[in-house]
Amino acid sequence: MSTPAPEPLLDPARLIARQQPVVLRGLVRDWPLVAKGLEGPETAVAYLKSFYTGTAVVGYSGPPEIAGRFFYNADMTAMNFTATRVKLDAFLDRMLATRDDPHAEALYVGSTDLDTYLPGFRAENDLALPPEAFGGATPLASIWIGNRTTAATHYDMSNNIACCLVGRRRFTLFPPDQVTNLYPGPLEPTPGGQVVSMVDLRAPDLDRYPRFAAALETAQVFDLEPGDVLVYPALWWHNVEALDAFNVLVNYWWNAAPRFLDTPMTTLLHGLLSLRDRPLTEKQAWRALFDHYVFGPADAAADHLPEAARGPLAPLDDLTARRLRAHLLQRLNR
């Protein structure tokens, strides 16, 4: 039986419109770093070093007992790892020196801007797609490097194209509506800037987190080989496990929303301040108002009003967004 040809990644916006993760097997297998990685970690590291300018990056390290999972300490008073400014070349050497030790410390460089720290890398290793493919947005390209590490289940506010280049990675994804079943941790501090699930996917404690069993029924698991690409939408929860002693991933983040829009997390935090502790009947009434003004069609709340009377109900642009933000600051600074 012949193997189906990989689906071409020509239109990320079209793939994201499906609102489901999509794997594109072997899509970037011809990138030079993939070939270097197949030769061995030393060759891949030498290739990465050839682009490095010497600017310090943030390196994360955790003791062997965390088994690579960057999370909180036992009593949740701090993280179970440290983050320091390091020289990337020396940190890569540190990874190589311990790659054969099954009890090595966890070492990780996450979400590091390619163009800033490895200029020239994208000239040889890049999707090279126009902004139109991303709905007019300009994606941010980052590199992730580490040994056998695990990013605890979390979500991001941008769409993601994850390109597995060296080593294998396992992505376990959950749709956004599973948030309650995933038992989110504190809003802050967080291990990496986003809320993480309290459940250890490697050994779920279903006595403590019984609803996680329902989340597992929705889980989609993708094991990526070097050259494979995974595309998934914003706000999908994902646990990322690096399966080999040395791993490199490049990803592209983007969101087609206009830049003048605020992050919805600001709205959520204000909702905690203004709505969460009101009586249930009031919250249900406010839910109806939010459905009308926010979660329904963008023009539905104002289509019966004269254009001159629509105010903040009219479509936003950079100027009207700044006016609305100033009005909100006035209301908040009471």
Side-chain angles (χ1 to χ4, degrees), residues 275 280 282-293 295:
L275 289 170
L280 179 59
E282 287 188 27
K283 289 200 290 186
Q284 290 171 335
W286 277 107
R287 176 182 292 167
L289 287 170
F290 270 75
D291 284 342
H292 176 71
Y293 285 107
F295 296 114

Side-chain angles (χ1 to χ4, degrees), residues 117-152:
Y117 296 95
L118 298 173
F121 177 89
R122 290 178 67 189
E124 301 179 10
N125 307 264
D126 195 27
L127 292 177
L129 295 172
E132 293 75 24
F134 299 94
T138 300
L140 174 66
S142 298
I143 193 167
W144 311 69
I145 312 170
N147 53 14
R148 288 187 174 91
T149 58
T150 298

Side-chain angles (χ1 to χ4, degrees), residues 74-330:
D75 58 8
M76 294 190 65
T77 57
M79 301 300 151
N80 66 357
F81 60 91
T82 58
T84 56
R85 303 291 294 182
V86 297
K87 289 299 185 74
L88 179 60
D89 49 1
F91 206 65
L92 290 172
D93 289 340
R94 195 168 152 190
M95 292 180 194
L96 290 181
T98 59
R99 70 185 184 281
D100 296 324
D101 181 0
H103 305 294
E105 62 180 335
L107 299 173
Y108 182 56
V109 174
S111 191
T112 298
D113 184 76
L114 274 172
D115 295 332
T116 300
Y117 296 95
L118 298 173
F121 177 89
R122 290 178 67 189
E124 301 179 10
N125 307 264
D126 195 27
L127 292 177
L129 295 172
E132 293 75 24
F134 299 94
T138 300
L140 174 66
S142 298
I143 193 167
W144 311 69
I145 312 170
N147 53 14
R148 288 187 174 91
T149 58
T150 298
T153 308
H154 65 286
Y155 68 89
D156 298 308
M157 288 187 284
S158 296
N159 305 309
N160 201 347
I161 299 176
C163 305
C164 184
L165 303 182
V166 181
R168 298 166 299 130
R169 290 192 188 240
R170 174 171 296 151
F171 280 72
T172 304
L173 291 102
F174 304 88
D177 63 8
Q178 290 302 305
V179 53
T180 299
N181 296 331
L182 291 171
Y183 295 90
L187 293 178
E188 58 180 33
T190 63
Q194 294 288 6
V195 172
V196 300
S197 169
M198 295 301 297
V199 185
D200 186 346
L201 188 61
R202 301 170 302 184
D205 184 348
L206 296 182
D207 290 331
R208 187 173 184 182
Y209 306 112
R211 292 191 306 274
F212 187 68
L216 281 175
E217 294 179 1
T218 73
Q220 299 187 43
V221 182
F222 302 92
D223 285 346
L224 303 185
E225 299 285 339
D228 290 344
V229 170
L230 175 64
V231 185
Y232 57 93
L235 300 173
W236 275 67
W237 294 77
H238 49 286
N239 186 95
V240 187
E241 183 179 0
L243 302 176
D244 291 311
F246 183 72
N247 305 266
V248 182
L249 179 142
V250 163
N251 84 308
Y252 298 80
W253 269 323
W254 84 100
N255 197 301
R259 289 184 177 273
F260 55 74
L261 293 182
D262 279 348
T263 168
M265 182 55 71
T266 303
T267 307
L268 191 150
L269 292 173
H270 194 212
L272 296 178
L273 176 66
S274 61
L275 289 170
R276 184 192 59 186
D277 295 332
R278 292 183 181 274
L280 179 59
T281 52
E282 287 188 27
K283 289 200 290 186
Q284 290 171 335
W286 277 107
R287 176 182 292 167
L289 287 170
F290 270 75
D291 284 342
H292 176 71
Y293 285 107
V294 178
F295 296 114
D299 57 353
D303 60 5
H304 60 287
L305 298 175
E307 188 171 338
R310 292 180 180 180
L313 297 179
L316 289 176
D317 56 24
D318 185 66
L319 178 60
T320 55
R322 280 189 277 131
R323 288 174 178 167
L324 183 55
R325 190 174 293 111
H327 180 62
L328 281 172
L329 288 172
Q330 271 190 325

